[in-house]
Amino acid sequence: MKGPAFLIDIDGVLYVGDQAVPGAAEAIRLLEESGQPYRFVSNSTRKSRASIAARLENLGFSVPASRIFTPPVAAIAAMKQDGRTRAAFLTTGDVDRDFADAGIYPTDCNPHWVVIGDAGDNFTYRSLTLAMRRILDGAGILALEYDRYWMGADGLMLSAGPFVAALEYATGKKATVVGKPSPEFFDLAVRDMGVERADTLMIGDDIVTDIGGAQAAGMRGVLVRTGKYRADTVASSGIRPFRIIGSLAEIGELL
Amino acid sequence: MKGPAFLIDIDGVLYVGDQAVPGAAEAIRLLEESGQPYRFVSNSTRKSRASIAARLENLGFSVPASRIFTPPVAAIAAMKQDGRTRAAFLTTGDVDRDFADAGIYPTDCNPHWVVIGDAGDNFTYRSLTLAMRRILDGAGILALEYDRYWMGADGLMLSAGPFVAALEYATGKKATVVGKPSPEFFDLAVRDMGVERADTLMIGDDIVTDIGGAQAAGMRGVLVRTGKYRADTVASSGIRPFRIIGSLAEIGELL
């Protein structure tokens, strides 16, 4: 019988900060040579797939953009399935490039959706007030993620979640949330490999989103001790990973 | 027996936009001559009491600042009662003047409270991220109001509430909310008159905050048909005011 298929988180698994995880690039080469299918799943909402692939290339990883699955990819799939694709954007970086590649261009005129990512300094009183007006006029809230915060260079930074919560409170509407740990998001990558969830291992550093999310979706979760891994967070999570490994460098044990 | 005491909302009752309500200034003079006690209660969080008094003077109302009760006044009372008064501010305008008059100066160093008003353009990714860090470090959230939005010149504008909701979600802490319709807020003004709630009429244009809030606190609510008054909002509110009058100009009927 064939071995498992792999979903692999990026930030904290392939690299931490500006440094590749030692042995991770070799692990990906080993995986490629094994012939086992694999895809990358990230909750990044500040970069397009092409930008993520370019960054990985700089760090020594050879990964085609088409193997990288992010919340914008999931949002595009959700919008196309829904049949309504007019969207205003509250995002930063070049994530709009993914949408443009799918034929979805930003519009401020009667959008069906207000798409919200981790927009950083693009979250202003003005941009949020305009988003509220569009939502009250009928647009849905499409949240690329619902995280509370992330660790920046000098402390915690607000993520998209609090701003989504602000607009939910202002408008009385609930957001549609894509990205990990949504099963639909995992399925995009799983279906792209032509396998089943039950045959898939999810490798990540977030005990809740990666491991808990994967296992709730019927996959097996493999936790790495790199990135945001903390032993006490794992202990208090109530989540038991299928396996815990030191880093992606030990992927040989899973093949 | 003496007639009732009066609490009077400001925006929408004394003036609408930049115009005094016709007959309202005469009504206040009539009230003053009657000898009945009265105070003003506003949920404004962008102006100090002194600024509100100056604005009213320009519109033809002679009102001492000490008779104006606003959420900053309630916040100061709450902080002094709590005994912890170190505060960082996420506000705009000159509301900090009220706090300074009470000996409370803004500090970014280990504040007990992050005080949040309708800060307008002072709500930025940076200011909200810094507020989150202070709250995670132990500061309480002191919300001057929890409204969703207000009507600006060209459409609805976000109020403080959505940003309070954002910080509650980011930190997992609940805010302490002062201002109308908190009974403690009404009591500050009622006690200042030396009367009881049961002897007090609250005159306002907001069926929920002014009338519902007052009647839940054991006062009688008098709704005016000026400002944000809408017949359908009143009908759907499930709240029955003690009286409805055309405007404050009809105050003679209540004396």
Side-chain angles (χ1 to χ4, degrees):
Chain A
M1 179 190 156
K2 237 167 64 109
F6 292 88
L7 296 184
I8 305 170
D9 182 28
I10 296 178
D11 191 0
V13 177
L14 297 187
Y15 61 80
V16 178
D18 287 334
Q19 301 289 321
V21 168
E26 293 73 15
I28 299 300
R29 275 194 288 276
L30 184 65
L31 187 54
E32 177 68 26
E33 288 162 15
S34 76
Q36 299 299 118
Y38 63 98
R39 297 291 185 274
F40 297 90
V41 285
S42 165
N43 259 7
S44 169
T45 68
R46 287 187 173 219
K47 285 192 173 73
S48 69
R49 296 170 114 177
S51 287
I52 294 172
R55 176 167 161 73
L56 289 176
E57 191 74 43
N58 283 337
L59 289 167
F61 299 93
S62 182
V63 172
S66 61
R67 289 199 176 182
I68 298 170
F69 288 79
T70 58
V73 177
I76 291 162
M79 289 160 75
K80 296 220 159 173
Q81 187 176 8
D82 177 81
R84 299 178 306 147
T85 57
R86 296 176 60 87
F89 290 82
L90 197 41
T91 55
T92 190
D94 70 342
V95 286
D96 54 318
R97 189 168 156 187
D98 285 330
F99 290 91
D101 287 347
I104 296 170
Y105 304 102
T107 178
D108 290 342
C109 183
N110 300 322
H112 301 122
W113 304 101
V114 174
V115 176
I116 306 173
D118 172 16
D121 287 333
N122 287 347
F123 286 124
T124 64
Y125 182 67
R126 181 173 185 278
S127 69
L128 288 162
T129 288
L130 290 175
M132 169 190 68
R133 292 182 189 178
R134 288 169 185 140
I135 296 160
L136 287 175
D137 282 345
I141 308 173
L142 189 48
L144 297 179
E145 45 103 334
Y146 208 158
D147 296 338
R148 293 182 297 163
Y149 45 68
W150 51 275
M151 179 56 76
D154 79 331
L156 294 176
M157 308 290 288
L158 285 167
S159 198
F163 297 96
V164 174
L167 289 169
E168 289 183 325
Y169 176 72
T171 63
K173 291 193 186 179
K174 294 299 287 179
T176 299
V177 184
V178 297
K180 291 185 284 184
S182 138
E184 291 80 9
F185 180 55
F186 290 124
D187 270 350
L188 284 177
V190 169
R191 278 199 305 266
D192 195 53
M193 295 189 284
V195 300
E196 302 291 326
R197 288 191 209 164
D199 302 322
T200 305
L201 295 187
M202 167 75 215
I203 305 178
D205 66 333
D206 188 313
I207 183 67
V208 176
T209 305
D210 292 328
I211 309 306
Q215 299 193 159
M219 299 185 284
R220 284 164 289 168
V222 177
L223 186 68
V224 290
R225 291 200 189 89
T226 52
K228 71 174 81 165
Y229 169 84
R230 296 287 177 278
D232 55 348
T233 310
V234 176
S236 65
S237 71
I239 296 166
R240 290 196 51 174
F242 169 66
R243 287 282 298 276
I244 303 182
I245 58 179
S247 81
L248 193 66
E250 297 169 18
I251 199 167
E253 300 176 20
L254 305 168
L255 290 170
Chain B
M1 180 189 158
K2 237 166 64 110
F6 292 87
L7 295 184
I8 305 170
D9 183 28
I10 295 178
D11 190 0
V13 176
L14 297 188
Y15 61 80
V16 177
D18 288 333
Q19 302 289 322
V21 168
E26 292 73 15
I28 298 300
R29 274 194 288 277
L30 184 65
L31 186 54
E32 177 68 27
E33 287 162 17
S34 76
Q36 299 299 118
Y38 63 97
R39 297 292 184 273
F40 298 90
V41 287
S42 165
N43 258 7
S44 168
T45 69
R46 289 186 172 218
K47 285 193 174 74
S48 68
R49 296 170 114 177
S51 288
I52 294 170
R55 176 167 162 71
L56 289 177
E57 190 74 43
N58 283 337
L59 289 167
F61 299 93
S62 182
V63 172
S66 61
R67 290 199 176 181
I68 299 170
F69 289 79
T70 58
V73 176
I76 291 162
M79 289 161 75
K80 297 222 158 172
Q81 186 174 12
D82 177 81
R84 299 178 306 146
T85 57
R86 296 175 61 86
F89 289 82
L90 197 41
T91 56
T92 190
D94 69 343
V95 287
D96 53 318
R97 191 169 154 186
D98 286 330
F99 290 90
D101 286 347
I104 297 170
Y105 304 102
T107 178
D108 290 342
C109 184
N110 300 322
H112 301 122
W113 304 101
V114 174
V115 176
I116 307 174
D118 173 16
D121 286 334
N122 288 348
F123 286 123
T124 64
Y125 183 67
R126 182 173 186 278
S127 69
L128 288 161
T129 288
L130 290 175
M132 169 189 68
R133 292 182 189 177
R134 288 171 186 139
I135 297 160
L136 287 174
D137 282 345
I141 308 172
L142 190 49
L144 297 180
E145 44 102 336
Y146 208 159
D147 295 338
R148 292 183 297 163
Y149 44 68
W150 50 276
M151 180 56 76
D154 79 330
L156 294 176
M157 309 290 288
L158 285 167
S159 198
F163 297 95
V164 174
L167 290 169
E168 289 183 324
Y169 177 72
T171 63
K173 291 193 188 179
K174 295 299 285 178
T176 299
V177 184
V178 296
K180 289 185 285 184
S182 139
E184 292 80 8
F185 180 54
F186 290 124
D187 270 349
L188 285 176
V190 169
R191 279 200 305 266
D192 195 52
M193 294 189 285
V195 300
E196 301 291 325
R197 288 191 211 164
D199 302 321
T200 304
L201 294 187
M202 168 73 214
I203 305 178
D205 66 333
D206 188 314
I207 182 68
V208 176
T209 305
D210 292 326
I211 309 307
Q215 299 193 157
M219 298 184 284
R220 284 164 288 167
V222 177
L223 186 68
V224 291
R225 290 199 190 90
T226 52
K228 72 175 80 167
Y229 169 85
R230 296 286 177 280
D232 54 349
T233 310
V234 177
S236 65
S237 70
I239 296 166
R240 288 196 51 175
F242 169 66
R243 287 282 297 277
I244 303 182
I245 59 178
S247 81
L248 192 66
E250 299 169 18
I251 198 167
E253 299 178 19
L254 305 168
L255 290 171

